[in-house]
């Protein structure tokens, strides 16, 4: 029996030019044709997108018969557009899940996907968002996705206005993911010593300020001339960072298996969800139930803010593109430390001004 070397659901064939090509075929799902060769990182990214139902979504009964002008019609176009395909695969999974759950909901016996796009009004949007209460974060996520969808509809001529933008998001109490305190950071370091995989995963995030989804992909190939370089999976932003001493010590002390620093017990690369679950387990072992991988990214940004770094300097590390994003991540910066820094700057400025005024006074008196 011929040994199968391709991943499950992947098969090879030759096109009309005799060139070897590869496709993803799974019963009940759309067929996907790969753009990259098996064994490459790009191919694996495509395969993950197929398995997650992004590039090879499930075939829905009657999907090809969507009435023209409905949200079913609009979504089928949107999923093939750069607006949806440009973000990273994990982001696409989240966005699609939000929209699919929305269009499957019904009101007065009518599915939202069957509604005509031009019929949508602000009062309809507000009613749809209110259905998700008390889950305000979910409602705000849906509002963002509907707004992006309507912008796309306007661009392709399926809508004349965007009724979502005149609605208001719900106010969210709290700051999202908990930002690690220095005490929590120390507790994790005490539980997981340098040289363990748990500590290396931690150090890759706290010393770089990167997301867990990017930390899980880092390996020896990411290091170039004593710098750690990567293109962020979510935003496609390229960052080049100096390797801090604490991270260098952790990398050198931890055995590396293959091309990835942090791997599973079977020597395989973690999936996004698998890495998050494993790090959740490591946090629990350290007695930190409120801490998470994403909260560690916030803690890294907080440290930069408390050190007096500018927004531009922080963005150079985290890969954020706007000051508002940085402000959201550095909200947990120690207020006392920052106010002391501001006081030092103010006193230094006043002293400089006083010195200049005194010099001018002496100069004037000397000329009399």
């Amino acid at each position: 029996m011929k040994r199968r070397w391709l991943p499950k659901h992947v098969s090879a064939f030759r096109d009309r030019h005799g060139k070897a090509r590869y496709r993803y075929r799974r019963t009940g799902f759309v067929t996907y044709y790969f753009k990259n060769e098996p064994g490459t990182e790009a191919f694996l990214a495509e395969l993950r997108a197929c398995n997650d139902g992004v590039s090879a979504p499930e075939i829905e009964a009657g999907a090809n018969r969507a009435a023209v002008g409905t949200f079913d019609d609009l979504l089928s176009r949107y999923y093939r557009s750069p607006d949806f395909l440009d973000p990273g695969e994990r982001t696409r999974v989240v966005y699609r899940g939000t929209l699919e759950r929305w269009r499957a909901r019904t009101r007065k016996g009518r599915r939202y996907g069957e509604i005509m796009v031009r019929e949508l009004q602000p009062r309809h949007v507000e009613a749809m968002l209110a259905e998700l209460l008390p889950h305000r974060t979910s409602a705000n996520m849906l509002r963002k996705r509907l707004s992006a969808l309507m912008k796309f509809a306007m661009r392709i001529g399926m809508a004349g206005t965007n009724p979502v933008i005149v609605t208001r998001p719900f106010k969210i109490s709290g700051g999202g993911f908990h930002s690690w305190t220095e005490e929590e950071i120390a507790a994790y370091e005490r539980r997981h010593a340098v040289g363990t995989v748990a500590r290396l995963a931690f150090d890759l995030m706290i010393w770089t300020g990167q997301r867990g989804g990017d930390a899980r992909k880092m390996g020896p190939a990411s290091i170039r001339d004593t710098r750690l370089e990567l293109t962020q999976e979510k935003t496609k932003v390229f960052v080049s960072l100096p390797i801090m001493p604490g991270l260098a010590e952790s990398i050198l002390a931890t055995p590396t298996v293959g091309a990835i620093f942090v791997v599973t017990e079977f020597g395989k690369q973690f999936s996004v969800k698998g890495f998050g679950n494993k790090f959740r387990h490591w946090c629990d072992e350290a007695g930190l139930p409120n801490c998470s991988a994403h909260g560690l990214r916030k803690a890294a940004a907080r440290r930069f803010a408390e050190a007096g770094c500018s927004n531009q300097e922080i963005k150079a590390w985290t890969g954020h593109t706007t000051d508002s994003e940085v402000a959201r991540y550095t909200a947990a910066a120690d207020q006392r430390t920052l106010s002391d820094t501001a006081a030092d700057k103010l006193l230094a400025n006043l002293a400089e001004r006083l010195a200049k005024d005194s010099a001018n006074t002496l100069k004037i008196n000397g000329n009399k």
Side-chain angles (χ1 to χ4, degrees), residues 8 12 14-15 23 27 29 35 38 69 112 141 163 213 230 233 235 244-245 280 301 314 318 355 360 364-365:
K8 188 177 181 180
R14 291 192 177 275
D15 61 18
R23 63 193 167 199
T27 303
F29 291 78
K35 301 177 180 63
Y112 285 159
M141 167 63 83
L230 70 145
E233 182 180 41
T235 60
M244 306 294 278
R280 165 79 273 134
I314 297 174
T318 62
N360 289 335
I364 292 173
N365 292 335

Side-chain angles (χ1 to χ4, degrees), residues 172-185:
I172 304 296
S173 58
F177 287 96
H178 167 67
S179 178
W180 292 49
T181 65
E182 290 302 317
E183 291 75 16
E184 289 166 336
I185 290 173

Side-chain angles (χ1 to χ4, degrees), residues 100-356:
E100 288 301 308
R101 287 189 294 273
W102 168 77
R103 79 157 157 178
R105 281 161 38 200
T106 59
R107 185 177 179 84
K108 296 181 179 179
R110 191 183 184 190
R111 205 168 41 80
Y112 285 159
E114 298 171 334
I115 296 175
M116 299 298 291
V117 175
R118 291 185 179 273
E119 291 180 3
L120 190 67
Q121 298 180 26
R123 60 187 176 87
H124 299 146
V125 177
E126 291 181 341
M128 292 171 179
L129 300 181
E131 290 175 356
L132 296 178
L133 296 177
H135 306 292
R136 296 185 173 208
T137 301
S138 297
N140 287 345
M141 167 63 83
L142 175 59
R143 181 180 177 275
K144 287 182 180 179
R145 301 281 51 82
L146 288 179
S147 182
L149 182 63
M150 292 305 298
K151 287 179 182 178
F152 172 73
M154 291 176 63
R155 197 169 70 247
I156 64 175
M158 287 186 68
T161 60
N162 183 350
V164 183
I165 59 175
V166 298
T167 64
R168 293 182 59 184
F170 291 101
K171 185 176 181 180
I172 304 296
S173 58
F177 287 96
H178 167 67
S179 178
W180 292 49
T181 65
E182 290 302 317
E183 291 75 16
E184 289 166 336
I185 290 173
Y188 189 98
E189 292 175 337
R190 285 194 300 270
R191 177 60 179 81
H192 301 290
V194 172
T196 62
V197 175
R199 178 60 173 271
L200 179 57
F202 170 89
D203 287 332
L204 286 170
M205 290 182 283
I206 191 63
W207 291 114
T208 67
Q210 302 306 302
R211 301 176 183 86
D214 294 315
R216 72 183 180 90
K217 291 184 174 181
M218 295 178 186
S222 306
I223 299 176
R224 300 178 181 87
D225 299 328
T226 70
R227 300 183 71 83
L228 194 148
E229 299 183 342
L230 70 145
T231 298
Q232 295 181 338
E233 182 180 41
K234 181 178 180 179
T235 60
K236 309 304 180 187
V237 172
F238 174 79
V239 291
S240 177
L241 311 171
I243 298 178
M244 306 294 278
L247 178 57
E249 178 188 8
S250 190
I251 290 175
L252 292 174
T254 310
T256 299
V257 180
I260 304 295
F261 287 136
V262 180
V263 296
T264 68
E265 58 186 29
F266 303 106
K268 304 294 184 180
Q269 178 179 321
F270 278 103
S271 65
V272 173
K273 187 174 182 179
F275 181 84
N277 290 339
K278 191 63 175 179
F279 196 76
R280 165 79 273 134
H281 172 70
W282 288 329
C283 289
D284 290 341
E285 287 184 333
L288 303 170
N290 296 322
C291 295
S292 65
H294 204 73
L296 205 55
R297 176 168 160 82
K298 279 190 170 182
R302 170 186 58 77
R303 281 181 162 185
F304 284 121
E306 291 176 356
C309 296
S310 67
N311 277 4
Q312 287 299 110
E313 290 169 333
I314 297 174
K315 287 190 289 186
W317 271 85
T318 62
H320 287 117
T321 56
T322 65
D323 287 343
S324 61
E325 289 176 316
V326 174
R328 185 161 52 88
Y329 272 69
T330 59
D334 182 60
Q335 185 271 333
R336 292 182 61 183
T337 301
L338 294 179
S339 63
D340 287 346
T341 301
D344 291 340
K345 291 180 178 180
L346 175 62
L347 291 175
N349 179 264
L350 292 174
E352 182 179 354
R353 288 172 55 186
L354 182 60
K356 288 181 179 180

